[in-house]
Amino acid sequence: MAKEPNGTDKKKKKGQNPEIGEHGMEHKDEKDQRGMKLQEDKKPASEDQDENFRPSGSAQSKVAAPSHQKEVSEVVRASDKDASWVRLKVVLVPEGRVMTVAFAIELSIHELKRHLASELRVPADVLQISLDGRAVEEHKSLMELGVRPHSSTRMEMSSTDPSFHPLRPLRLLEHDSMPDVITVQVEADGGVLQEVVVEIERPRHQKAFLGGYRHRLTGVEYHHAAVQTLPKRRPDRGVAVFSRDTQTVELKSQAQQCPVNASTQMTGIGCYVSCMNDRLVTPGKYTTADEYHDRRLRAVIRLQTFARRWLAQQVVDHLRKERARRLAWLEMQERRRNEEKEEQLRDRRNRWLNPKRQEDFNLLYQALEKWRNEEEQRISSSLRGAERKAALCALLDQEMDLIAAIGRHHIAVHSDNYDKAVRNFLDKSASPHQRRAADGRLIEIDTQNTIRARELRDLYNSISLTTVSQEQRLHFLMTLKHTVKEQECELTRDIMDLVDREVDLMTRGVKSAKLEGLRKRICTLLLQYIKTPAFNPEVAKLLKVPQNPSQLKNDMILCQYCHRYLRLTDFIMSASGSLNRQCHQCARLNNIARSRDDFTFYKSILMRLRADEQRLNAEAKIPFLLKVQDMQYLVEAVWASRSALSASIDLYNLVFVRWDRQKDWSPWNCILLSKEETSAHLEVEDIHMTYDTTLIHEIERKHAQARRHFSQVPIMSEHLDTHPAAVLGNQLFSKPITMAIVKHAKDITQTSDH
């Protein structure tokens, strides 16, 4: 019997494999009965069981790979039965890994290199095979190298280009638990045993587990051969066949009663039964069916009582929580309203004490007018004759002093605002251009014009400084002179003359207080120089007056009060499109001298209305077409400066909302309410079912008045909805706002200020 290279015989090795019979083959029926073994305990790797195996040869037959649940193939060289085989152990240098290959002894080294190159996935020309430390020639065969048939030979293989083509086996060491090559004996014709070299092939996919057994001690799993073999497919006869037995459900009804056998034994002749364990049973009270059902009914009613009590407690707890939440919300709303009122009072007090805008000064003049009216009424009601005239003269003197104080404060504020406006103008002209990049970042770009504007801004800031030394002032003046000397014109000559005059006066020892007027003239001319686009091109986009005179041809209007030609933007334009021939400055002076009105209330109402409508409908147009004067007409003439529901006269607490919330806001679809009433009104689904008929008719009358007034405005007439002619005929005609109405509205405003 032939021996393995490591000294073990092949028959003994076959006995270690439970799937190979006496002659190396196993019958299919025996395999189906016993099952195919899936896993074995791993054995220590030896030279016969080397890692990194790839099979070679032509014909292959499948066997099992127990350690990895892989399919294997048994390679049978049927084409050449007399061929001799040799087991080659190829050592990969420098890693030292071993590959075992069964190879025909008459094949050449070149064919061996091609086979190993395909297994290692490297080019064949980079492989170098050596035997006993000497490189072998490619045209020689294994037999010419002295290798004997059915023996084991060790060879080294290295790569000539290890950096780009390293020799790495495609299978890890832990994946090996079975010999790479085995030799089995197959009974040939005539009962002759023939040795066949079998190479194990390990596919890469994992074989699915479809049922079987697991050894409790070793943990080895065995597959059912029946579930691993595809069932035999019946031949297709071409006709669809259905069985009625599988399509019909069979029903069967059968009653079953288990017999109960019982027997008793009594004391008799020849038989004694002890009565020690007997017990006396007395019959209880008999319960009728009605009594039983009545008891069950009472129990059910009791259970329902407890259940309904629990449900009622849940409802009460929910109502209590809702009530607490509602009270907390009302308290929060009340606190918020109080905070808003306090904030309004603080804002008004701050505007009185520290006015900075024109609206703040209008508030001061309105308070002055209110004080004058109160004092005049008090004097007229308490004094007569000469005393009354003297008191009115004293009141007039006090009013003049207060107007003068307000005027001085207005001049100071105007000076501060002018300086801020100039610095803001210079910063805008000197700011770099900003562009949005593709990634969203802002990119700042400096041009020649922005650099020039930045230099002029810094020069103006330096000239405007007052707390500098004489040397620094002289340096700033010389820089200014050299800057404006580049352009020759009347403005630059005036600047240079003023600079030379200040330098001469400073060298003569004149004090700085006496040079204040001269320095202001220099700053004014320098600012004029900076605002000239010929000297500073960057300011052209910031100037309000266009540089092309032809653009002013149809844009200049004569003010009938100050007799100045001003641009169209300097006049008041109403929503009706009519132009008032009074400029903004004349209107401000007229308001200070005569009416002294404060439009802050109406402006706040208009701004809140625009914000609410923008939130409800992004395409709302009518609120943005109205002016402050139009809002004043709506509040005073149409709604009499009071809430339509509670008649509240606090203008700070009044807002305009939609009358029918399904339609957009308009002067003929609005209602003036307090902030507390707004939330409740916006929750009304049907106004005709909620409000009284009298109130509805009154509000519709006000809507008709507003409709007639704003129908005269061309831009507002486009948004008028269609209205039947009969209804329009029954509506009341609105009258122009009279002085009595305005006077009444002023009285209401004065009362609300208290």
Side-chain angles (χ1 to χ4, degrees):
M1 183 177 299
K3 299 289 185 178
E4 293 287 328
N6 57 1
T8 60
D9 55 62
K10 300 173 184 177
K11 187 173 182 180
K12 184 176 180 181
K13 186 173 182 179
K14 291 186 296 182
Q16 296 175 357
N17 191 345
E19 300 191 11
I20 300 179
E22 180 180 359
H23 299 292
M25 304 295 290
E26 185 178 16
H27 198 271
K28 184 177 183 301
D29 296 338
E30 297 178 0
K31 183 186 297 183
D32 294 341
Q33 294 176 5
R34 294 189 297 105
M36 182 169 28
K37 184 175 181 182
L38 178 64
Q39 294 182 351
E40 292 181 342
D41 295 336
K42 291 187 178 181
K43 301 177 183 179
S46 61
E47 291 185 352
D48 292 335
Q49 298 174 344
D50 299 319
E51 64 272 11
N52 306 320
F53 150 77
R54 287 295 180 271
S56 65
S58 59
Q60 298 179 354
S61 62
K62 304 296 180 181
V63 296
S67 61
H68 305 288
Q69 302 180 6
K70 306 284 187 177
E71 294 183 359
V72 299
S73 63
E74 179 182 355
V75 181
V76 181
R77 308 296 182 181
S79 61
D80 190 1
K81 297 183 180 179
D82 299 333
S84 299
W85 296 82
V86 65
R87 181 179 301 176
L88 295 179
K89 298 181 179 179
V90 182
V91 181
L92 303 181
V93 179
E95 293 187 1
R97 306 291 290 274
V98 180
M99 293 179 59
T100 305
V101 181
F103 211 72
I105 196 171
E106 66 271 13
L107 298 180
S108 64
I109 298 299
H110 178 68
E111 295 175 348
L112 177 62
K113 290 175 62 176
R114 290 176 56 189
H115 171 70
L116 294 177
S118 63
E119 295 296 325
L120 296 176
R121 298 180 182 177
V122 296
D125 53 352
V126 301
L127 297 180
Q128 184 177 1
I129 299 178
S130 59
L131 179 64
D132 296 333
R134 297 188 303 272
V136 297
E137 300 177 0
E138 294 185 358
H139 64 275
K140 290 186 178 182
S141 62
L142 297 177
M143 185 178 295
E144 294 176 358
L145 295 177
V147 180
R148 294 179 299 172
H150 305 292
S151 64
S152 178
T153 303
R154 185 183 181 94
M155 305 182 74
E156 296 83 19
M157 183 173 62
S158 60
S159 174
T160 59
D161 190 6
S163 60
F164 292 93
H165 301 288
L167 301 182
R168 294 195 183 103
L170 301 179
R171 187 165 49 87
L172 301 178
L173 178 62
E174 56 269 14
H175 293 172
D176 296 331
S177 61
M178 191 172 183
D180 297 329
V181 181
I182 61 176
T183 305
V184 297
Q185 291 183 350
V186 181
E187 184 177 357
D189 298 337
V192 180
L193 296 179
Q194 181 179 357
E195 293 185 352
V196 178
V197 178
V198 179
E199 299 178 355
I200 307 300
E201 184 181 86
R202 297 174 173 85
R204 300 175 183 175
H205 64 275
Q206 183 75 17
K207 193 172 183 180
F209 180 75
L210 301 177
Y213 303 93
R214 183 176 65 84
H215 200 286
R216 291 187 302 173
L217 300 180
T218 62
V220 179
E221 294 182 354
Y222 298 89
H223 284 196
H224 274 304
V227 299
Q228 298 296 322
T229 305
L230 295 177
K232 184 178 180 181
R233 185 175 182 180
R234 295 181 181 181
D236 188 7
R237 294 183 294 178
V239 179
V241 179
F242 298 96
S243 175
R244 183 174 178 82
D245 296 338
T246 60
Q247 301 295 325
T248 306
V249 179
E250 182 179 357
L251 302 178
K252 182 179 180 181
S253 300
Q254 181 179 358
Q256 295 182 356
Q257 179 65 36
C258 298
V260 179
N261 298 326
S263 60
T264 59
Q265 187 175 9
M266 306 298 293
T267 301
I269 300 175
C271 180
Y272 172 75
V273 178
S274 176
C275 60
M276 295 297 295
N277 296 328
D278 292 350
R279 55 191 179 89
L280 183 61
V281 178
T282 58
K285 182 181 178 181
Y286 180 74
T287 304
T288 62
D290 295 338
E291 294 175 350
Y292 172 76
H293 289 299
D294 184 63
R295 185 172 70 251
R296 298 295 298 172
L297 180 60
R298 289 196 302 270
V300 170
I301 292 175
R302 186 173 181 84
L303 290 176
Q304 290 181 353
T305 302
F306 283 105
R308 291 175 180 175
R309 178 176 177 271
W310 180 80
L311 292 176
Q313 289 179 350
Q314 297 296 321
V315 173
V316 171
D317 292 342
H318 178 71
L319 293 176
R320 186 180 292 109
K321 292 180 181 178
E322 289 294 330
R323 176 178 175 273
R325 188 181 298 110
R326 176 68 178 178
L327 293 177
W329 181 82
L330 292 176
E331 183 181 357
M332 182 184 65
Q333 294 295 325
E334 185 66 23
R335 184 169 59 253
R336 183 180 59 82
R337 286 192 293 268
N338 294 335
E339 291 177 356
E340 288 182 357
K341 290 182 180 180
E342 293 177 0
E343 181 66 24
Q344 291 176 359
L345 293 176
R346 285 195 299 268
D347 181 63
R348 292 183 64 184
R349 189 180 298 109
N350 186 27
R351 291 171 59 189
W352 281 338
L353 299 177
N354 189 19
K356 293 184 178 300
R357 300 176 301 173
Q358 186 59 41
E359 293 82 359
D360 301 341
F361 287 98
N362 291 338
L363 183 63
L364 281 178
Y365 284 115
Q366 185 193 26
L368 176 61
E369 181 67 16
K370 177 183 174 182
W371 171 81
R372 189 189 65 81
N373 291 331
E374 292 177 353
E375 291 294 324
E376 185 177 353
Q377 292 177 3
R378 183 182 62 82
I379 293 173
S380 299
S381 61
S382 60
L383 299 177
R384 293 292 184 273
E387 294 181 355
R388 177 176 174 274
K389 292 183 179 180
L392 291 177
C393 291
L395 177 62
L396 181 60
D397 294 338
Q398 293 180 5
E399 182 182 5
M400 293 174 58
D401 295 338
L402 293 176
I403 292 176
I406 296 175
R408 289 192 296 269
H409 188 76
H410 186 271
I411 293 174
V413 170
H414 178 72
S415 177
D416 295 340
N417 293 339
Y418 176 78
D419 294 339
K420 292 180 181 179
V422 169
R423 297 187 185 279
N424 188 21
F425 175 82
L426 296 178
D427 292 338
K428 284 184 179 180
S429 62
S431 61
H433 300 284
Q434 292 184 350
R435 296 291 184 271
R436 181 73 63 178
D439 55 355
R441 296 183 297 105
L442 282 177
I443 300 177
E444 295 184 351
I445 303 174
D446 275 330
T447 62
Q448 184 178 3
N449 295 335
T450 57
I451 296 175
R452 170 69 175 177
R454 192 176 299 118
E455 293 176 354
L456 294 177
R457 180 198 62 181
D458 297 339
L459 181 60
Y460 180 84
N461 294 333
S462 302
I463 295 297
S464 301
L465 294 177
T466 56
T467 58
V468 292
S469 61
Q470 185 175 357
E471 292 78 7
Q472 293 178 344
R473 182 68 182 179
L474 291 175
H475 174 70
F476 295 153
L477 293 175
M478 291 298 104
T479 304
L480 174 60
K481 185 176 181 180
H482 293 325
T483 302
V484 301
K485 190 187 299 183
E486 300 174 358
Q487 294 84 13
E488 182 67 23
C489 64
E490 185 178 357
L491 177 61
T492 56
R493 287 193 294 269
D494 292 342
I495 294 176
M496 288 188 293
D497 292 342
L498 294 177
V499 168
D500 295 338
R501 187 182 304 175
E502 183 179 356
V503 171
D504 183 55
L505 293 176
M506 289 177 63
T507 55
R508 293 172 182 267
V510 179
K511 295 182 179 180
S512 300
K514 296 182 179 180
L515 298 176
E516 184 177 355
L518 178 59
R519 291 175 178 177
K520 287 184 178 181
R521 290 181 60 189
I522 294 176
C523 291
T524 303
L525 293 180
L526 177 59
L527 181 61
Q528 184 179 354
Y529 175 84
I530 294 175
K531 289 184 177 181
T532 305
F535 306 142
N536 187 11
E538 195 65 22
V539 300
K541 61 182 181 180
L542 300 177
L543 295 178
K544 296 182 180 180
V545 179
Q547 300 303 310
N548 188 4
S550 61
Q551 299 180 4
L552 300 175
K553 182 177 181 180
N554 299 325
D555 197 21
M556 301 300 294
I557 299 175
L558 176 63
C559 178
Q560 296 180 355
Y561 293 85
C562 62
H563 301 287
R564 293 186 302 169
Y565 283 95
L566 301 174
R567 298 194 64 189
L568 184 62
T569 56
D570 294 331
F571 291 85
I572 300 175
M573 181 71 70
S574 63
S576 61
S578 61
L579 181 64
N580 190 358
R581 292 292 181 173
Q582 186 180 18
C583 64
H584 288 290
Q585 185 176 1
C586 294
R588 181 180 64 83
L589 293 177
N590 185 34
N591 182 42
I592 293 175
R594 296 181 180 180
S595 58
R596 297 177 181 175
D597 294 329
D598 182 23
F599 301 100
T600 308
F601 310 102
Y602 314 108
K603 186 176 181 180
S604 61
I605 294 175
L606 181 60
M607 297 304 294
R608 176 158 183 166
L609 173 62
R610 289 177 177 177
D612 294 342
E613 287 300 311
Q614 185 71 16
R615 178 175 51 85
L616 296 177
N617 184 12
E619 299 180 357
K621 297 181 180 179
I622 296 181
F624 297 92
L625 299 177
L626 297 178
K627 304 295 183 180
V628 178
Q629 292 77 11
D630 302 324
M631 189 60 60
Q632 180 184 8
Y633 174 82
L634 277 176
V635 174
E636 295 181 356
V638 178
W639 296 95
S641 301
R642 62 180 69 240
S643 173
L645 296 180
S646 61
S648 175
I649 59 176
D650 187 6
L651 292 180
Y652 282 103
N653 197 34
L654 296 180
V655 292
F656 269 116
V657 294
R658 298 178 179 179
W659 169 244
D660 185 1
R661 66 175 187 174
Q662 303 299 332
K663 301 179 182 178
D664 291 340
W665 188 95
S666 62
W668 48 90
N669 183 36
C670 64
I671 184 172
L672 186 63
L673 299 174
S674 63
K675 295 179 181 178
E676 295 81 4
E677 300 164 349
T678 302
S679 58
H681 173 75
L682 294 178
E683 296 178 0
V684 174
E685 296 291 341
D686 189 358
I687 54 180
H688 297 281
M689 297 294 295
T690 304
Y691 296 110
D692 185 60
T693 307
T694 306
L695 177 63
I696 294 176
H697 289 334
E698 181 65 20
I699 292 177
E700 289 179 353
R701 186 188 65 80
K702 295 179 182 296
H703 288 169
Q705 181 182 353
R707 185 190 302 274
R708 290 184 179 277
H709 173 76
F710 286 99
S711 62
Q712 303 172 5
V713 182
I715 195 171
M716 294 288 292
S717 60
E718 301 176 359
H719 302 278
L720 285 172
D721 51 356
T722 59
H723 209 283
V727 179
L728 286 175
N730 295 330
Q731 291 176 350
L732 296 177
F733 288 94
S734 61
K735 297 181 180 180
I737 182 171
T738 60
M739 296 302 296
I741 297 178
V742 176
K743 185 65 177 177
H744 176 67
K746 291 181 180 179
D747 296 340
I748 293 175
T749 306
Q750 294 171 4
T751 307
S752 63
D753 293 338
H754 287 290

